[in-house]
């Protein structure tokens, strides 16, 4: 989800809720402690220099149960970040405390913002000799005709 999209969604909501991949909701007394632009400049295993930028939101659970972050307040924080940090309409990455700091992509289901699990990947598979993954077949999808009968020598 891009920054412009979250602002559009926030303008139509009366409350904010983030849902973890396991279906649990982030406690509603969370705070967005950071909104920032993260630039990653790196070289992949095939030798290609790459650069990417994302908007980073950090969610934090405090012991402050009396204050809730309302949509209009988060929009103001985002707009201040855009102005002061010169943030463009970038993809959003969300940090949240799990066993360690976990990073998620962001989606929206019409009610909740969904924290979507991210995975590592090799960006230079063609350079590294990583074979393409073969499609997985289900035995139930295989033909069950008389392609192999006892004594036919096919087995």
């Amino acid at each position: 989800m891009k920054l412009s999209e979250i602002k559009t969604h926030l303008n139509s909501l009366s409350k904010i809720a983030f849902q973890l991949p396991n279906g649990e909701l982030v406690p509603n007394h969370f705070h967005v402690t950071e909104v920032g632009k993260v630039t990653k400049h790196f070289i992949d295993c095939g030798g290609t220099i790459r650069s990417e930028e994302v908007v980073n939101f950090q969610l934090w659970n405090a012991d402050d149960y009396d204050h809730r972050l309302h949509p209009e307040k988060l929009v103001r924080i985002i707009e201040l970040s855009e102005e002061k940090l010169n943030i463009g309409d970038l993809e959003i990455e969300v940090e949240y405390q799990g066993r360690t700091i976990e990073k998620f992509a962001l989606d929206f289901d019409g009610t909740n913002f969904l924290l979507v699990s991210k995975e590592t990947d090799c960006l230079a598979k063609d350079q590294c000799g990583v074979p393409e993954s073969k499609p997985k077949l289900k035995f139930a999808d295989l033909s069950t005709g008389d392609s192999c009968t006892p004594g036919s020598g096919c087995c």
Side-chain angles (χ1 to χ4, degrees):
M1 173 181 301
K2 291 191 175 252
L3 203 54
S4 60
E5 295 173 88
I6 194 170
K7 290 188 333 187
T8 299
H9 295 311
L10 287 168
N11 286 325
S12 67
L13 295 175
S14 60
K15 67 179 182 121
I16 306 170
F18 286 91
Q19 185 175 338
L20 294 161
N22 66 5
E24 291 179 25
L25 292 177
V26 169
N28 59 8
H29 59 277
F30 75 91
H31 291 261
V32 175
T33 59
E34 297 177 9
V35 174
K37 177 169 60 173
V38 176
T39 302
K40 182 178 175 183
H41 190 211
F42 61 101
I43 190 165
D44 68 25
C45 58
T48 302
I49 296 173
R50 299 177 184 264
S51 182
E52 60 184 43
E53 287 187 334
V54 296
V55 174
N56 184 69
F57 286 16
Q58 186 180 78
L59 304 183
W60 179 63
N61 292 333
D63 293 332
D64 176 8
Y65 297 95
D66 298 326
H67 298 92
R68 303 289 189 262
L69 181 63
H70 295 284
E72 60 277 1
K73 171 76 173 183
L74 184 52
V75 168
R76 285 195 307 271
I77 293 168
I78 292 169
E79 289 172 345
L80 182 63
S81 307
E82 289 173 309
E83 176 190 334
K84 300 293 184 183
L85 301 175
N86 196 29
I87 295 176
D89 192 22
L90 301 172
E91 286 291 322
I92 298 169
E93 180 177 83
V94 179
E95 292 181 347
Y96 184 68
Q97 185 69 45
R99 287 188 357 218
T100 186
I101 297 174
E102 298 176 346
K103 292 184 180 187
F104 299 94
L106 192 62
D107 202 355
F108 186 67
D109 69 2
T111 304
N112 298 323
F113 290 102
L114 307 175
L115 300 179
V116 179
S117 296
K118 296 177 80 169
E119 295 181 354
T120 60
D121 193 10
C122 176
L123 300 176
K125 291 181 184 87
D126 58 331
Q127 300 286 320
C128 296
V130 176
E132 282 189 40
S133 58
K134 296 178 182 176
K136 294 182 180 182
L137 301 175
K138 295 179 185 173
F139 284 117
D141 295 340
L142 298 176
S143 173
T144 58
D146 293 330
S147 59
C148 189
T149 57
S152 68
C154 67
C155 300

